[in-house]
Amino acid sequence: MNKDVDEARYSREHLANERTFLAWLRTAIATMGVGFIASVYHFQMNIYPSRLGDIIALLIGLSSLLLSILTVCFALYSYFTKRKQINKQMFRSSNKLLVIITLFILILSCLYVIYLIVVYSS
C-alpha cells in the first residue's frame, strides 16, 4: 500500500501525534525558561551570596538546559516511532519517556528545594 494513502487513512492519529510532539516542545521550552530565570535571578540579584548557592544555581540552570535537550530528543524519537506504528496499525503506548522526564523533573525540583534551603538559611 502507498505510504501517502496510509498517512491519509490515519490522519486523526497523526494529528494527535503531532499535537503531543508540540506539547513536549512547549514543556522543553518552559523547563529551559524556568532554569534560566532561576539562574539569572540568583546571579543578578545576589541578595544572599554564598558559594554553595552559586553552585546550586548553576546546577539548576545546566540541569534545566539538559532536561530541555533530552525532552526534545525523546519527543522527536517518540514522534517518529509512533508515526511508524500508526501506519502499521501496531501502536503501543510507551511510558519510558514519561518516567525519564518525570525523574529528571523531580531531581530538578529537589535542586530548587536545596537551593532555597541553602540561600535562605545563610
Side-chain angles (χ1 to χ4, degrees):
M1 187 169 278
N2 188 350
K3 183 180 178 182
D4 292 332
V5 173
D6 285 342
E7 294 274 333
R9 179 182 291 167
Y10 306 111
S11 59
R12 283 187 188 182
E13 289 84 359
H14 287 293
L15 291 172
N17 190 25
E18 288 179 19
R19 285 190 300 271
T20 302
F21 174 72
L22 293 173
W24 280 115
L25 289 182
R26 287 189 298 272
T27 301
I29 291 168
T31 303
M32 189 183 323
V34 168
F36 178 76
I37 289 170
S39 296
V40 167
Y41 176 76
H42 173 80
F43 290 110
Q44 292 294 323
M45 301 303 278
N46 214 5
I47 298 170
Y48 302 104
S50 93
R51 180 80 173 131
L52 185 57
D54 291 348
I55 292 170
I56 295 173
L58 189 60
L59 278 174
I60 289 171
L62 292 175
S63 298
S64 295
L65 182 60
L66 177 64
L67 178 59
S68 298
I69 292 168
L70 286 175
T71 301
V72 170
C73 292
F74 283 133
L76 189 62
Y77 173 77
S78 177
Y79 170 80
F80 284 116
T81 300
K82 288 176 186 172
R83 182 175 168 206
K84 287 179 189 176
Q85 290 174 348
I86 290 168
N87 285 337
K88 291 180 181 180
Q89 295 182 349
M90 299 185 70
F91 177 76
R92 288 187 174 81
S93 61
S94 172
N95 58 2
K96 292 177 188 174
L97 174 64
L98 298 176
V99 170
I100 291 170
I101 299 299
T102 301
L103 287 174
F104 273 106
I105 289 176
L106 287 173
I107 291 168
L108 190 58
S109 299
C110 289
L111 277 174
Y112 283 126
V113 170
I114 292 168
Y115 170 77
L116 291 173
I117 290 170
V118 166
V119 168
Y120 291 108
S121 67
S122 57

Short mmCIF file of all heavy atoms in Angstrom, two decimals, residues 40-99:
data_model
loop_
_atom_site.label_atom_id
_atom_site.label_comp_id
_atom_site.label_asym_id
_atom_site.label_seq_id
_atom_site.Cartn_x
_atom_site.Cartn_y
_atom_site.Cartn_z
N VAL A 40 19.52 33.29 36.42
CA VAL A 40 19.73 34.72 36.22
C VAL A 40 19.31 35.49 37.46
O VAL A 40 20.01 36.42 37.90
CB VAL A 40 18.96 35.21 34.97
CG1 VAL A 40 18.90 36.73 34.92
CG2 VAL A 40 19.61 34.67 33.72
N TYR A 41 18.19 35.11 38.05
CA TYR A 41 17.73 35.77 39.27
C TYR A 41 18.78 35.68 40.36
O TYR A 41 19.09 36.66 41.02
CB TYR A 41 16.41 35.14 39.73
CG TYR A 41 15.92 35.70 41.04
CD1 TYR A 41 15.31 36.95 41.09
CD2 TYR A 41 16.07 35.00 42.22
CE1 TYR A 41 14.86 37.48 42.29
CE2 TYR A 41 15.63 35.51 43.43
CZ TYR A 41 15.03 36.75 43.45
OH TYR A 41 14.59 37.26 44.64
N HIS A 42 19.36 34.51 40.53
CA HIS A 42 20.37 34.33 41.58
C HIS A 42 21.59 35.21 41.33
O HIS A 42 22.05 35.91 42.22
CB HIS A 42 20.80 32.86 41.67
CG HIS A 42 21.94 32.65 42.61
ND1 HIS A 42 21.78 32.59 43.98
CD2 HIS A 42 23.27 32.53 42.39
CE1 HIS A 42 22.95 32.42 44.55
NE2 HIS A 42 23.88 32.38 43.60
N PHE A 43 22.12 35.15 40.12
CA PHE A 43 23.37 35.87 39.85
C PHE A 43 23.18 37.36 39.67
O PHE A 43 24.09 38.14 39.93
CB PHE A 43 24.09 35.25 38.66
CG PHE A 43 24.65 33.88 38.95
CD1 PHE A 43 24.10 32.74 38.38
CD2 PHE A 43 25.70 33.73 39.84
CE1 PHE A 43 24.61 31.49 38.66
CE2 PHE A 43 26.22 32.48 40.13
CZ PHE A 43 25.67 31.36 39.54
N GLN A 44 22.01 37.80 39.22
CA GLN A 44 21.77 39.23 39.05
C GLN A 44 21.40 39.90 40.37
O GLN A 44 21.88 40.98 40.67
CB GLN A 44 20.65 39.48 38.02
CG GLN A 44 21.03 39.09 36.63
CD GLN A 44 22.14 39.94 36.05
OE1 GLN A 44 22.21 41.13 36.29
NE2 GLN A 44 23.01 39.32 35.29
N MET A 45 20.55 39.26 41.13
CA MET A 45 20.10 39.85 42.39
C MET A 45 21.17 39.72 43.47
O MET A 45 21.42 40.66 44.20
CB MET A 45 18.79 39.20 42.86
CG MET A 45 17.67 39.35 41.85
SD MET A 45 17.32 41.05 41.42
CE MET A 45 16.30 41.52 42.79
N ASN A 46 21.74 38.56 43.57
CA ASN A 46 22.83 38.28 44.51
C ASN A 46 22.54 38.83 45.92
O ASN A 46 23.40 39.40 46.57
CB ASN A 46 24.15 38.84 43.97
CG ASN A 46 25.32 37.96 44.36
OD1 ASN A 46 25.14 36.89 44.95
ND2 ASN A 46 26.51 38.40 44.04
N ILE A 47 21.30 38.62 46.35
CA ILE A 47 20.88 39.11 47.67
C ILE A 47 21.55 38.32 48.78
O ILE A 47 21.99 38.86 49.78
CB ILE A 47 19.34 39.03 47.79
CG1 ILE A 47 18.69 39.92 46.75
CG2 ILE A 47 18.88 39.39 49.19
CD1 ILE A 47 17.20 39.74 46.62
N TYR A 48 21.62 37.02 48.60
CA TYR A 48 22.20 36.13 49.61
C TYR A 48 23.40 35.41 49.00
O TYR A 48 23.31 34.25 48.62
CB TYR A 48 21.18 35.10 50.09
CG TYR A 48 19.94 35.72 50.66
CD1 TYR A 48 18.75 35.75 49.93
CD2 TYR A 48 19.95 36.26 51.94
CE1 TYR A 48 17.61 36.32 50.48
CE2 TYR A 48 18.81 36.84 52.49
CZ TYR A 48 17.65 36.86 51.74
OH TYR A 48 16.53 37.42 52.27
N PRO A 49 24.53 36.10 48.89
CA PRO A 49 25.68 35.46 48.25
C PRO A 49 26.24 34.31 49.10
O PRO A 49 26.42 34.44 50.30
CB PRO A 49 26.70 36.58 48.10
CG PRO A 49 26.30 37.58 49.13
CD PRO A 49 24.83 37.43 49.35
N SER A 50 26.44 33.20 48.46
CA SER A 50 27.11 32.06 49.10
C SER A 50 27.67 31.18 48.00
O SER A 50 27.09 31.06 46.92
CB SER A 50 26.15 31.28 50.00
OG SER A 50 25.54 30.23 49.34
N ARG A 51 28.80 30.60 48.26
CA ARG A 51 29.46 29.75 47.25
C ARG A 51 28.60 28.54 46.91
O ARG A 51 28.43 28.20 45.75
CB ARG A 51 30.82 29.30 47.81
CG ARG A 51 31.60 28.43 46.89
CD ARG A 51 32.30 29.28 45.84
NE ARG A 51 33.17 28.43 45.07
CZ ARG A 51 33.19 28.43 43.75
NH1 ARG A 51 32.45 29.27 43.08
NH2 ARG A 51 33.99 27.63 43.11
N LEU A 52 28.01 27.91 47.93
CA LEU A 52 27.15 26.75 47.69
C LEU A 52 25.90 27.15 46.91
O LEU A 52 25.46 26.45 46.00
CB LEU A 52 26.77 26.09 49.02
CG LEU A 52 25.97 24.80 48.93
CD1 LEU A 52 26.71 23.76 48.10
CD2 LEU A 52 25.68 24.26 50.32
N GLY A 53 25.34 28.32 47.24
CA GLY A 53 24.19 28.83 46.50
C GLY A 53 24.52 29.07 45.03
O GLY A 53 23.71 28.77 44.15
N ASP A 54 25.72 29.60 44.77
CA ASP A 54 26.16 29.82 43.39
C ASP A 54 26.26 28.50 42.63
O ASP A 54 25.82 28.40 41.48
CB ASP A 54 27.52 30.51 43.36
CG ASP A 54 27.47 31.96 43.84
OD1 ASP A 54 26.35 32.49 43.99
OD2 ASP A 54 28.55 32.53 44.08
N ILE A 55 26.82 27.50 43.28
CA ILE A 55 26.98 26.19 42.63
C ILE A 55 25.63 25.57 42.33
O ILE A 55 25.40 25.05 41.23
CB ILE A 55 27.85 25.26 43.51
CG1 ILE A 55 29.28 25.77 43.55
CG2 ILE A 55 27.80 23.82 43.00
CD1 ILE A 55 30.16 25.08 44.58
N ILE A 56 24.72 25.63 43.30
CA ILE A 56 23.40 25.04 43.09
C ILE A 56 22.63 25.79 42.02
O ILE A 56 21.95 25.18 41.18
CB ILE A 56 22.61 24.98 44.42
CG1 ILE A 56 23.32 24.04 45.40
CG2 ILE A 56 21.19 24.50 44.18
CD1 ILE A 56 22.73 24.03 46.79
N ALA A 57 22.73 27.11 42.00
CA ALA A 57 22.06 27.90 40.96
C ALA A 57 22.59 27.53 39.58
O ALA A 57 21.82 27.42 38.62
CB ALA A 57 22.24 29.39 41.22
N LEU A 58 23.88 27.34 39.49
CA LEU A 58 24.48 26.92 38.23
C LEU A 58 24.00 25.52 37.84
O LEU A 58 23.69 25.25 36.68
CB LEU A 58 26.01 26.95 38.33
CG LEU A 58 26.78 26.74 37.05
CD1 LEU A 58 26.44 27.81 36.03
CD2 LEU A 58 28.27 26.73 37.34
N LEU A 59 23.93 24.62 38.82
CA LEU A 59 23.42 23.26 38.55
C LEU A 59 21.97 23.30 38.08
O LEU A 59 21.59 22.53 37.19
CB LEU A 59 23.53 22.40 39.80
CG LEU A 59 24.88 21.78 40.09
CD1 LEU A 59 24.87 21.06 41.44
CD2 LEU A 59 25.27 20.81 39.00
N ILE A 60 21.17 24.16 38.68
CA ILE A 60 19.77 24.29 38.26
C ILE A 60 19.69 24.73 36.81
O ILE A 60 18.94 24.17 36.01
CB ILE A 60 19.01 25.26 39.19
CG1 ILE A 60 18.81 24.63 40.56
CG2 ILE A 60 17.67 25.67 38.57
CD1 ILE A 60 18.27 25.57 41.61
N GLY A 61 20.48 25.74 36.45
CA GLY A 61 20.47 26.23 35.07
C GLY A 61 20.93 25.17 34.08
O GLY A 61 20.29 24.94 33.06
N LEU A 62 22.03 24.49 34.40
CA LEU A 62 22.55 23.46 33.50
C LEU A 62 21.62 22.25 33.43
O LEU A 62 21.41 21.67 32.36
CB LEU A 62 23.95 23.03 33.93
CG LEU A 62 25.04 24.09 33.76
CD1 LEU A 62 26.36 23.59 34.35
CD2 LEU A 62 25.21 24.44 32.29
N SER A 63 21.06 21.87 34.57
CA SER A 63 20.13 20.72 34.59
C SER A 63 18.88 21.02 33.78
O SER A 63 18.37 20.15 33.07
CB SER A 63 19.74 20.38 36.03
OG SER A 63 20.85 19.99 36.77
N SER A 64 18.39 22.24 33.88
CA SER A 64 17.21 22.62 33.11
C SER A 64 17.50 22.57 31.62
O SER A 64 16.68 22.10 30.83
CB SER A 64 16.75 24.03 33.49
OG SER A 64 16.33 24.07 34.82
N LEU A 65 18.67 23.05 31.25
CA LEU A 65 19.05 23.01 29.84
C LEU A 65 19.19 21.56 29.36
O LEU A 65 18.69 21.21 28.29
CB LEU A 65 20.37 23.77 29.63
CG LEU A 65 20.89 23.85 28.20
CD1 LEU A 65 19.88 24.55 27.30
CD2 LEU A 65 22.21 24.56 28.17
N LEU A 66 19.84 20.73 30.15
CA LEU A 66 19.99 19.32 29.79
C LEU A 66 18.64 18.64 29.69
O LEU A 66 18.37 17.89 28.75
CB LEU A 66 20.87 18.60 30.82
CG LEU A 66 21.05 17.10 30.63
CD1 LEU A 66 21.79 16.81 29.33
CD2 LEU A 66 21.80 16.50 31.80
N LEU A 67 17.76 18.90 30.65
CA LEU A 67 16.42 18.31 30.62
C LEU A 67 15.66 18.76 29.37
O LEU A 67 14.97 17.96 28.74
CB LEU A 67 15.64 18.69 31.88
CG LEU A 67 14.21 18.19 31.97
CD1 LEU A 67 14.15 16.66 31.89
CD2 LEU A 67 13.56 18.67 33.25
N SER A 68 15.81 20.01 29.00
CA SER A 68 15.14 20.52 27.80
C SER A 68 15.64 19.81 26.55
O SER A 68 14.85 19.42 25.69
CB SER A 68 15.36 22.02 27.66
OG SER A 68 14.80 22.70 28.74
N ILE A 69 16.95 19.65 26.46
CA ILE A 69 17.53 18.96 25.29
C ILE A 69 17.06 17.51 25.24
O ILE A 69 16.67 17.01 24.17
CB ILE A 69 19.07 19.07 25.32
CG1 ILE A 69 19.50 20.52 25.09
CG2 ILE A 69 19.70 18.14 24.30
CD1 ILE A 69 20.97 20.77 25.38
N LEU A 70 17.09 16.84 26.38
CA LEU A 70 16.63 15.45 26.43
C LEU A 70 15.15 15.34 26.07
O LEU A 70 14.75 14.41 25.35
CB LEU A 70 16.87 14.85 27.82
CG LEU A 70 18.30 14.51 28.17
CD1 LEU A 70 18.39 14.04 29.63
CD2 LEU A 70 18.85 13.43 27.25
N THR A 71 14.36 16.27 26.54
CA THR A 71 12.93 16.26 26.24
C THR A 71 12.68 16.38 24.75
O THR A 71 11.88 15.64 24.17
CB THR A 71 12.20 17.39 27.00
OG1 THR A 71 12.40 17.21 28.40
CG2 THR A 71 10.71 17.38 26.71
N VAL A 72 13.39 17.29 24.10
CA VAL A 72 13.23 17.47 22.65
C VAL A 72 13.69 16.20 21.92
O VAL A 72 12.99 15.73 21.00
CB VAL A 72 14.00 18.71 22.16
CG1 VAL A 72 14.05 18.75 20.64
CG2 VAL A 72 13.38 19.97 22.70
N CYS A 73 14.81 15.64 22.32
CA CYS A 73 15.31 14.42 21.65
C CYS A 73 14.35 13.25 21.83
O CYS A 73 14.02 12.55 20.87
CB CYS A 73 16.69 14.06 22.18
SG CYS A 73 17.97 15.21 21.72
N PHE A 74 13.89 13.04 23.06
CA PHE A 74 12.94 11.95 23.31
C PHE A 74 11.63 12.19 22.59
O PHE A 74 11.01 11.26 22.07
CB PHE A 74 12.68 11.79 24.81
CG PHE A 74 13.77 11.08 25.55
CD1 PHE A 74 14.24 11.60 26.74
CD2 PHE A 74 14.32 9.91 25.07
CE1 PHE A 74 15.26 10.96 27.45
CE2 PHE A 74 15.33 9.26 25.76
CZ PHE A 74 15.80 9.78 26.95
N ALA A 75 11.16 13.44 22.55
CA ALA A 75 9.91 13.75 21.87
C ALA A 75 10.01 13.47 20.37
O ALA A 75 9.09 12.91 19.78
CB ALA A 75 9.53 15.21 22.10
N LEU A 76 11.13 13.83 19.78
CA LEU A 76 11.31 13.58 18.35
C LEU A 76 11.36 12.08 18.07
O LEU A 76 10.72 11.59 17.14
CB LEU A 76 12.60 14.26 17.87
CG LEU A 76 12.82 14.27 16.37
CD1 LEU A 76 11.72 15.05 15.67
CD2 LEU A 76 14.18 14.88 16.05
N TYR A 77 12.10 11.35 18.90
CA TYR A 77 12.17 9.90 18.75
C TYR A 77 10.78 9.28 18.91
O TYR A 77 10.36 8.44 18.10
CB TYR A 77 13.14 9.31 19.78
CG TYR A 77 13.13 7.80 19.81
CD1 TYR A 77 13.80 7.07 18.82
CD2 TYR A 77 12.44 7.12 20.81
CE1 TYR A 77 13.77 5.69 18.84
CE2 TYR A 77 12.42 5.74 20.83
CZ TYR A 77 13.09 5.02 19.85
OH TYR A 77 13.06 3.67 19.86
N SER A 78 10.05 9.72 19.91
CA SER A 78 8.71 9.19 20.17
C SER A 78 7.77 9.51 19.01
O SER A 78 6.97 8.67 18.60
CB SER A 78 8.17 9.79 21.47
OG SER A 78 6.87 9.36 21.73
N TYR A 79 7.87 10.71 18.47
CA TYR A 79 7.02 11.11 17.36
C TYR A 79 7.21 10.18 16.16
O TYR A 79 6.24 9.66 15.61
CB TYR A 79 7.31 12.56 16.95
CG TYR A 79 6.64 12.95 15.66
CD1 TYR A 79 5.30 13.30 15.65
CD2 TYR A 79 7.34 12.95 14.46
CE1 TYR A 79 4.66 13.65 14.47
CE2 TYR A 79 6.71 13.30 13.27
CZ TYR A 79 5.38 13.64 13.29
OH TYR A 79 4.76 13.98 12.11
N PHE A 80 8.46 9.95 15.76
CA PHE A 80 8.70 9.11 14.59
C PHE A 80 8.37 7.65 14.85
O PHE A 80 7.87 6.95 13.96
CB PHE A 80 10.15 9.27 14.10
CG PHE A 80 10.36 10.55 13.36
CD1 PHE A 80 11.22 11.52 13.84
CD2 PHE A 80 9.70 10.81 12.16
CE1 PHE A 80 11.41 12.70 13.16
CE2 PHE A 80 9.88 11.99 11.47
CZ PHE A 80 10.75 12.94 11.98
N THR A 81 8.60 7.19 16.06
CA THR A 81 8.24 5.81 16.41
C THR A 81 6.74 5.61 16.34
O THR A 81 6.25 4.64 15.75
CB THR A 81 8.75 5.47 17.84
OG1 THR A 81 10.16 5.62 17.87
CG2 THR A 81 8.38 4.06 18.22
N LYS A 82 5.99 6.54 16.92
CA LYS A 82 4.53 6.44 16.89
C LYS A 82 3.99 6.59 15.48
O LYS A 82 3.00 5.94 15.12
CB LYS A 82 3.91 7.49 17.82
CG LYS A 82 4.12 7.16 19.27
CD LYS A 82 3.58 8.25 20.16
CE LYS A 82 3.94 7.94 21.60
NZ LYS A 82 3.63 9.03 22.51
N ARG A 83 4.63 7.42 14.69
CA ARG A 83 4.19 7.60 13.30
C ARG A 83 4.27 6.28 12.54
O ARG A 83 3.33 5.89 11.83
CB ARG A 83 5.06 8.66 12.64
CG ARG A 83 4.67 8.97 11.23
CD ARG A 83 5.50 10.10 10.70
NE ARG A 83 5.31 10.18 9.27
CZ ARG A 83 6.18 10.67 8.43
NH1 ARG A 83 7.32 11.15 8.89
NH2 ARG A 83 5.93 10.71 7.16
N LYS A 84 5.38 5.58 12.70
CA LYS A 84 5.52 4.27 12.04
C LYS A 84 4.50 3.28 12.57
O LYS A 84 3.89 2.52 11.81
CB LYS A 84 6.93 3.72 12.26
CG LYS A 84 7.99 4.41 11.46
CD LYS A 84 9.36 3.81 11.77
CE LYS A 84 10.46 4.62 11.14
NZ LYS A 84 11.79 4.10 11.51
N GLN A 85 4.31 3.28 13.89
CA GLN A 85 3.37 2.34 14.50
C GLN A 85 1.94 2.62 14.05
O GLN A 85 1.17 1.68 13.81
CB GLN A 85 3.44 2.42 16.02
CG GLN A 85 4.72 1.87 16.59
CD GLN A 85 4.83 2.10 18.09
OE1 GLN A 85 4.07 2.86 18.67
NE2 GLN A 85 5.80 1.44 18.71
N ILE A 86 1.58 3.88 13.91
CA ILE A 86 0.23 4.23 13.45
C ILE A 86 0.02 3.72 12.04
O ILE A 86 -1.02 3.12 11.73
CB ILE A 86 0.00 5.76 13.53
CG1 ILE A 86 -0.09 6.21 14.98
CG2 ILE A 86 -1.26 6.17 12.76
CD1 ILE A 86 -0.01 7.72 15.18
N ASN A 87 0.98 3.93 11.16
CA ASN A 87 0.85 3.48 9.77
C ASN A 87 0.78 1.96 9.66
O ASN A 87 0.13 1.43 8.77
CB ASN A 87 1.98 4.02 8.91
CG ASN A 87 1.80 5.49 8.59
OD1 ASN A 87 0.70 6.01 8.63
ND2 ASN A 87 2.90 6.16 8.30
N LYS A 88 1.46 1.27 10.56
CA LYS A 88 1.44 -0.21 10.54
C LYS A 88 0.29 -0.78 11.36
O LYS A 88 0.15 -1.99 11.44
CB LYS A 88 2.76 -0.75 11.09
CG LYS A 88 3.94 -0.49 10.20
CD LYS A 88 5.20 -1.07 10.81
CE LYS A 88 6.40 -0.80 9.93
NZ LYS A 88 7.63 -1.35 10.52
N GLN A 89 -0.50 0.08 11.97
CA GLN A 89 -1.61 -0.31 12.85
C GLN A 89 -1.13 -1.20 13.99
O GLN A 89 -1.77 -2.16 14.37
CB GLN A 89 -2.71 -1.03 12.07
CG GLN A 89 -3.40 -0.18 11.05
CD GLN A 89 -4.50 -0.93 10.35
OE1 GLN A 89 -4.63 -2.14 10.46
NE2 GLN A 89 -5.31 -0.20 9.61
N MET A 90 0.03 -0.87 14.51
CA MET A 90 0.60 -1.63 15.61
C MET A 90 1.04 -0.68 16.72
O MET A 90 2.13 -0.82 17.27
CB MET A 90 1.79 -2.47 15.12
CG MET A 90 1.41 -3.48 14.08
SD MET A 90 2.76 -4.53 13.63
CE MET A 90 2.96 -5.49 15.11
N PHE A 91 0.19 0.27 17.06
CA PHE A 91 0.56 1.27 18.06
C PHE A 91 0.64 0.64 19.44
O PHE A 91 -0.23 -0.10 19.87
CB PHE A 91 -0.46 2.41 18.07
CG PHE A 91 -0.19 3.43 19.13
CD1 PHE A 91 0.83 4.35 18.95
CD2 PHE A 91 -0.91 3.45 20.29
CE1 PHE A 91 1.10 5.30 19.93
CE2 PHE A 91 -0.65 4.39 21.28
CZ PHE A 91 0.36 5.30 21.09
N ARG A 92 1.73 0.94 20.12
CA ARG A 92 1.93 0.52 21.50
C ARG A 92 2.35 1.75 22.30
O ARG A 92 3.33 2.40 21.97
CB ARG A 92 3.02 -0.54 21.59
CG ARG A 92 2.59 -1.87 21.03
CD ARG A 92 3.66 -2.92 21.31
NE ARG A 92 3.23 -4.23 20.91
CZ ARG A 92 3.27 -4.70 19.67
NH1 ARG A 92 3.72 -3.93 18.71
NH2 ARG A 92 2.87 -5.91 19.41
N SER A 93 1.59 2.03 23.33
CA SER A 93 1.96 3.18 24.14
C SER A 93 3.20 2.84 24.96
O SER A 93 3.42 1.69 25.33
CB SER A 93 0.82 3.59 25.06
OG SER A 93 0.51 2.54 25.94
N SER A 94 4.00 3.86 25.20
CA SER A 94 5.23 3.66 25.94
C SER A 94 5.28 4.65 27.09
O SER A 94 4.94 5.82 26.92
CB SER A 94 6.44 3.88 25.02
OG SER A 94 7.62 3.87 25.78
N ASN A 95 5.70 4.18 28.24
CA ASN A 95 5.79 5.08 29.38
C ASN A 95 7.24 5.42 29.72
O ASN A 95 7.49 6.11 30.68
CB ASN A 95 5.07 4.50 30.59
CG ASN A 95 5.63 3.15 30.99
OD1 ASN A 95 6.56 2.65 30.40
ND2 ASN A 95 5.03 2.55 32.00
N LYS A 96 8.19 4.95 28.91
CA LYS A 96 9.60 5.23 29.19
C LYS A 96 9.88 6.72 29.20
O LYS A 96 10.56 7.23 30.09
CB LYS A 96 10.49 4.54 28.15
CG LYS A 96 10.49 3.04 28.24
CD LYS A 96 11.33 2.44 27.14
CE LYS A 96 11.15 0.94 27.12
NZ LYS A 96 11.83 0.34 25.97
N LEU A 97 9.38 7.42 28.19
CA LEU A 97 9.61 8.87 28.09
C LEU A 97 9.04 9.58 29.31
O LEU A 97 9.70 10.43 29.91
CB LEU A 97 8.98 9.41 26.81
CG LEU A 97 8.99 10.93 26.63
CD1 LEU A 97 10.42 11.43 26.51
CD2 LEU A 97 8.19 11.33 25.41
N LEU A 98 7.84 9.20 29.68
CA LEU A 98 7.21 9.84 30.83
C LEU A 98 7.97 9.60 32.11
O LEU A 98 8.17 10.52 32.92
CB LEU A 98 5.77 9.34 30.98
CG LEU A 98 4.83 9.64 29.82
CD1 LEU A 98 3.47 9.00 30.05
CD2 LEU A 98 4.69 11.13 29.62
N VAL A 99 8.44 8.40 32.31
CA VAL A 99 9.19 8.07 33.53
C VAL A 99 10.51 8.82 33.58
O VAL A 99 10.87 9.41 34.60
CB VAL A 99 9.41 6.54 33.64
CG1 VAL A 99 10.38 6.20 34.76
CG2 VAL A 99 8.09 5.82 33.84
#
